[in-house]
Amino acid sequence: MTDTAAPDMIARRQTPERLRWLPASIDRRVRVFAWLSFIFEVVIIGTGGAVRLTGSGLGCSEWPLCTPESLVPTPEQGLHGVIEFGNRTITGIVGLLAIVVLLSTLHAVGGRRPFTTALKFALAGLGAGAVAYAVAAVSGLPGFPFFSAALLAVVIVAAVQSARTIPTRRDLVVLAWIVLIGVIAQAFVGGITVLTGLNPFIVGFHYVASLTLVCVTAAYLVRSREPAGARERVAPRWFTVLAHVSGLAVAVTILFGVLTTASGPHSGDADVVRNGFDATVLAHVHSWPGYTLTALVIALTIGAVILRLPIRGWLFALIAVIGVQVVIGVWQAREGLPPVLVGAHMVIAALAGATYTVIVLKLRRPIPARAD
């Protein structure tokens, strides 16, 4: 007799008893928070850019306090203090969303045990951070970097333990942990950025890390809508190779974009020393991988249309994003780098990275369950 049961029911019958209750994909409510996490990761790039482009990088002279005596900006700090503190506030929201997504994911795919284990690690991390802070304070050193480093170390241990013991959907668990680890690491780097007087290389790393977190949250959104299990390629091997070469072009373009900005006039504060590179030369060098990327994506899109691949819509979206980036890049160069255009360029670069991430993940699809 032919089994006409739904694929999910068939999969449950073929799954060990202790794992049958686990979901094939993540609940819609968890995805709502995942979407908020993605949106705020993009927003914080915009607010971080506003800090830099308005010269508010040292609007708050201390970290995590805004001044040695106050958590919030004082009237004497003016608009610069408000802008810098606003960016720090967004950091807190990003962190809370990362925690919610992680705990919700752990509970959804593993039940109560991994959820409570993560909470125990959180308490241990806060305890370790408090001890590190106290030791640093007694030694006359800034306490918050040591607090962040201790908390980060415990969170990394928790992530490894969680990834090793979770029964299923390890991909989602790892992605959720990466976001939380990244947010904590970003808080640490943000403090170092202030303490080093906005060193351009550290500021550049800060941006690249934020862009990476945008891509990771985008990856979570893609995988959370797909069932667990084996995956298969949807495109020929040559197409997959060309797509990954395009990824290298994306990375090189962003790298030279960061170096170009670090050599330009928008340092975050009037007294900050730039990286010493010639901004005009770097602007031209930055354009070369950008135009190469454009050509590669056009080739991929043509190939996807000919092959009728399901990712062709995302490739059209990537062409549109890159096209906007090219227009803004040329425009801002001719207009002397207006802050608004530079900020838009930074945010759209993150959206380009996220779109490319979706394309790469959709080069493979879940293998449909067979009804035997």
Side-chain angles (χ1 to χ4, degrees):
M1 179 177 180
T2 303
D3 194 339
T4 59
D8 280 354
M9 294 297 296
I10 297 171
R12 287 175 182 270
R13 294 175 191 172
Q14 297 172 346
T15 305
E17 182 66 33
R18 66 185 181 88
L19 300 182
R20 284 183 185 174
W21 64 274
L22 294 172
S25 58
I26 291 297
D27 184 84
R28 180 179 299 177
R29 290 168 295 183
V30 181
R31 291 203 298 271
V32 168
F33 285 105
W35 266 107
L36 289 172
S37 181
F38 169 77
I39 290 169
F40 273 92
E41 289 289 357
V42 175
V43 168
I44 202 169
I45 288 181
T47 60
V51 169
R52 183 173 188 174
L53 297 168
T54 59
S56 304
L58 296 178
C60 288
S61 59
E62 304 294 325
W63 180 273
L65 300 178
C66 194
T67 72
E69 298 81 22
S70 175
L71 173 65
V72 299
T74 61
E76 292 76 17
Q77 292 170 297
L79 182 61
H80 291 321
V82 173
I83 293 174
E84 165 64 8
F85 186 75
N87 184 57
R88 294 185 181 186
T89 303
I90 297 296
T91 300
I93 296 174
V94 167
L96 287 175
L97 288 171
I99 292 171
V100 170
V101 171
L102 172 64
L103 293 179
S104 300
T105 301
L106 289 173
H107 191 272
V109 305
R112 182 176 299 176
R113 184 172 181 179
F115 177 87
T116 55
T117 300
L119 291 179
K120 291 176 182 177
F121 270 108
L123 293 175
L126 292 174
V131 171
Y133 186 96
V135 171
V138 170
S139 305
L141 300 171
F144 190 75
F146 289 91
F147 173 88
S148 300
L151 177 61
L152 181 61
V154 175
V155 170
I156 291 174
V157 172
V160 173
Q161 188 273 344
S162 178
R164 291 179 59 186
T165 58
I166 204 74
T168 188
R169 294 318 304 257
R170 205 163 284 171
D171 55 340
L172 296 178
V173 172
V174 169
L175 289 170
W177 275 112
I178 288 174
V179 174
L180 181 59
I181 290 170
V183 171
I184 297 173
Q186 281 289 75
F188 175 76
V189 174
I192 298 299
T193 301
V194 174
L195 294 176
T196 58
L198 305 184
N199 180 287
F201 293 103
I202 297 178
V203 173
F205 175 80
H206 203 37
Y207 170 75
V208 171
S210 293
L211 189 149
T212 302
L213 290 178
V214 170
C215 295
V216 175
T217 52
Y220 182 99
L221 288 170
V222 173
R223 296 306 300 269
S224 67
R225 297 185 65 86
E226 298 176 347
R231 300 168 66 80
E232 62 183 2
R233 285 206 319 267
V234 299
R237 186 176 297 276
W238 67 264
F239 189 95
T240 302
V241 171
L242 188 60
H244 289 295
V245 171
S246 300
L248 178 61
V250 170
V252 174
T253 303
I254 291 172
L255 172 63
F256 279 105
V258 170
L259 291 175
T260 302
T261 304
S263 62
H266 303 296
S267 61
D269 189 83
D271 298 325
V272 173
V273 178
R274 312 308 285 140
N275 62 17
F277 297 132
D278 188 318
T280 303
V281 173
L282 277 178
H284 287 291
V285 175
H286 169 50
S287 68
W288 300 338
Y291 293 134
T292 301
L293 172 63
T294 303
L296 288 170
V297 174
I298 290 174
L300 284 170
T301 305
I302 294 173
V305 170
I306 293 173
L307 296 171
R308 302 188 62 80
L309 299 179
I311 61 172
R312 58 187 181 274
W314 284 102
L315 283 164
F316 280 120
L318 184 57
I319 286 179
V321 173
I322 293 174
V324 172
Q325 278 292 75
V326 170
V327 170
I328 292 178
V330 174
W331 187 9
Q332 69 178 3
R334 291 182 176 179
E335 296 297 325
L337 302 179
V340 173
L341 293 181
V342 175
H345 206 51
M346 293 170 61
V347 173
I348 296 174
L351 296 178
T355 307
Y356 173 76
T357 300
V358 174
I359 290 169
V360 169
L361 290 177
K362 288 186 174 293
L363 289 174
R364 288 181 174 273
R365 66 185 174 191
I367 298 176
R370 293 185 303 175
D372 295 330

